[in-house]
Amino acid sequence: MSDPYSSRTPVHEQVVDGFGTVRVLPLDPDADAAVIHRWVGEERAAFWGMTELTEQQVAAVYAHMTALDTHHAHLVVRDGEPVALLQTYEPEADRVSECYDVRPGDIGVHLLLAPAGPGGARSGWTARLVGAVAAYVLLGLDRRRVVVDPDVRNEKAVARFLGLGFAPGPVVVLPEIDLPDVYLPEKKAQLAFLDRELMFPG
């Protein structure tokens, strides 16, 4: 089967032993809307707040994001198969900055994994994928620390980050954002941090 993503230029490409080739592609709001809409429409993605959106509305959300200098969306592809939605952002340009002291070199990350395939969840799969994503964010973008802010009710995501080596930070309340182009309800979040030295010592 041909790889529909092969013609697109990645911002990061990495061969992961025993896993495959991971490519991080800038999200194309129109071309990728169907895949993203399918993922965010699932009940497990309820904390992304997009379960009720149409495919066209999802495309519009990410079209808006492509116009921003501070927030970026990417499709992560493994051996030609989409496996995750990665969003990166500058914490000082985000509401999270009201809840912790942003350090130089910090970068915020939201990560939505694709649903498990027909074979179900596989041991070590997420760790390998996150390792490749971390290499892009921390080494490729030359950042010192990743911050994540999963909803405290999303116990699975919180446990996943902590299991991958993130250090827990405070539980905070991210303020509501109500702007013409974007609405985000108030969110009680568990902050967690991953230092580059821990992930990539030396």
Side-chain angles (χ1 to χ4, degrees):
M1 190 176 79
S2 64
D3 175 1
Y5 302 99
S6 60
S7 62
R8 288 164 61 175
T9 303
V11 293
H12 179 76
E13 184 166 342
Q14 182 177 344
V15 177
V16 181
D17 285 347
F19 186 70
T21 300
V22 176
R23 302 172 78 233
V24 180
L25 308 173
L27 190 77
D28 181 324
D30 294 320
D32 299 329
V35 170
I36 301 303
H37 177 252
R38 193 165 68 243
W39 293 351
V40 299
E42 294 187 346
E43 188 55 39
R44 68 184 187 91
F47 295 107
W48 281 68
M50 300 172 77
T51 49
E52 303 301 317
L53 299 190
T54 65
E55 184 177 319
Q56 290 72 25
Q57 288 171 320
V58 168
V61 167
Y62 287 102
H64 171 71
M65 192 177 292
T66 59
L68 302 176
D69 293 330
T70 55
H71 293 62
H72 302 280
H74 302 86
L75 188 70
V76 185
V77 176
R78 166 186 168 262
D79 291 344
E81 282 291 316
V83 290
L85 168 63
L86 168 68
Q87 293 175 202
T88 61
Y89 61 92
E90 303 299 335
E92 63 269 22
D94 190 85
R95 60 181 177 165
V96 75
S97 65
E98 298 184 34
C99 303
Y100 90 103
D101 291 327
V102 179
R103 293 184 197 164
D106 279 1
I107 187 167
V109 163
H110 299 301
L111 185 67
L112 177 65
L113 301 178
R122 285 159 287 176
S123 176
W125 194 94
T126 300
R128 289 192 186 95
L129 179 63
V130 170
V133 169
Y136 164 59
V137 172
L138 289 168
L139 302 179
L141 298 179
D142 192 24
R143 297 306 182 99
R144 307 300 307 177
R145 187 172 68 155
V146 172
V147 56
V148 294
D149 60 359
D151 192 299
V152 290
R153 296 167 298 167
N154 192 353
E155 296 173 359
K156 195 169 183 180
V158 172
R160 179 184 293 132
F161 283 124
L162 298 183
L164 291 167
F166 281 74
V171 172
V172 299
V173 176
L174 303 182
E176 177 187 61
I177 301 289
D178 192 0
L179 299 171
D181 291 323
V182 62
Y183 174 76
L184 295 170
E186 183 179 274
K187 181 173 98 169
K188 191 174 184 181
Q190 169 68 64
L191 298 188
F193 303 91
L194 182 67
D195 289 313
R196 184 165 77 184
E197 290 76 12
L198 185 74
M199 191 75 185
F200 304 103

